[in-house]
Amino acid sequence: MKKSPDRRLCVAPMMRHTDRHFRYLLRLISRRVMLYTEMITTGALLHGETARYLRFHPAEHPVGIQLGGSDPAALAQCARLAEDHDYDEVNLNIGCPSNRVSAGRFGACLLAEPQLVAECVAGMQSAVKIPVTVKTRTGIDALDSYEHLCHFVRTVAQSGCQTFIIHARKAWLQGLSPKQNRELPPLQYERVYHLKRDFPRLEIILNGGIDSLEEIPGHAKFVDGVMLGRALCNNPYLLAAADGKIFNTPHAIVSRQETLHRFMQYIAAELAAGSPLSHPGRAIIGLYQGRPGARAYRRYLSENIYQANAGVEVVEEAMKRVCGRQKTEDRRLKA
């Protein structure tokens, strides 16, 4: 089996967020953080636009693909496609709480079927040499005891899975929307810590409600790694100091302005290949979060990246709104 990536800090797979453009931006900010695709269903990958779903930039490594499905043979076939396209990991989604996903018999509902999940993992393990991992919740609905979580992890681990990414709250499949399930019910970090104590040979990654790098050392005392999610959608530059603080590989932190200049080169290549500006442009909307002029920057991008024939000049114009404000702020502070 191929060597596992370093998962001390990961970025969660998030629908409509962690597309290849956003992942490329994050890689400009951090060289080490582990990235994941949005969840891709086996049906979409096998019967849809396969090349589009699997496409990523070589600079994104290490990057894992997250699959949604419950048919071992289909998952094995998709895992082979992922390996053939040079992904570093295949992750199985056992955490998505949406009704549509549950109706397709994948996502969080599979917490009730640990033996089936084990068969899915075994099928993928037999098909590829890259690591196969599982991302799950701590429970679903009334099936939320610690004993059941241990049974699930033990059963799936016996199929060869060594890494579990645990979103530290259960999912309500009845009565709550997917958005509500990101905030309710309460997080149970202690349950994930306990799981690591009970399964010391497994790699346990904690996910859920972590909003800053400063929180990570406290969790790292009890688990093997941490996964950030929604906080990065609003402020991707949170990762700027991650390589030094988390991976102990300090290097010069790339400024927001330099990051954007580099991303504009990427945008130019994407436009030349036929992509509209809106596709990569969405990735950079939160880049200046918390800085002077950020609101004007976000507004300008949001109002103009969707215009027909919009080009790099839109990003250049948006940058003037934030960089001009920053220079004014710098002069005020020196006065």
Side-chain angles (χ1 to χ4, degrees), residues 194-214:
H194 195 180
L195 194 69
K196 176 59 185 178
R197 291 195 297 268
D198 286 345
F199 296 90
R201 294 185 180 180
L202 297 180
E203 183 180 36
I204 303 295
I205 310 299
L206 177 69
N207 173 226
I210 303 166
D211 295 328
S212 69
L213 297 184
E214 287 68 31

Side-chain angles (χ1 to χ4, degrees), residues 222-244:
F222 307 104
V223 292
D224 299 297
V226 165
M227 176 174 275
L228 295 179
R230 297 287 158 181
L232 294 173
C233 299
N234 297 324
N235 186 6
Y237 202 70
L238 277 176
L239 294 178
D243 292 0

Side-chain angles (χ1 to χ4, degrees), residues 14-84:
M14 293 176 286
M15 297 298 293
R16 294 179 294 278
H17 285 289
T18 50
D19 61 16
R20 62 187 180 87
H21 308 299
F22 189 64
R23 298 193 308 267
Y24 185 85
L25 174 68
L26 296 182
R27 184 57 73 220
L28 292 178
I29 299 170
S30 167
R31 304 175 189 175
R32 297 291 305 278
V33 66
M34 177 69 185
L35 303 175
Y36 289 89
T37 69
E38 304 168 90
M39 181 186 69
I40 306 169
T41 65
T42 55
L45 196 53
L46 296 177
H47 308 297
E49 299 177 71
T50 304
R52 178 173 68 85
Y53 284 118
L54 290 172
R55 182 181 175 189
F56 70 95
H57 194 285
E60 291 179 39
H61 287 293
V63 58
I65 187 171
Q66 188 184 63
L67 299 177
S70 59
D71 180 282
L75 284 165
Q77 188 175 351
C78 289
R80 280 192 292 271
L81 286 171
E83 184 174 57
D84 289 344

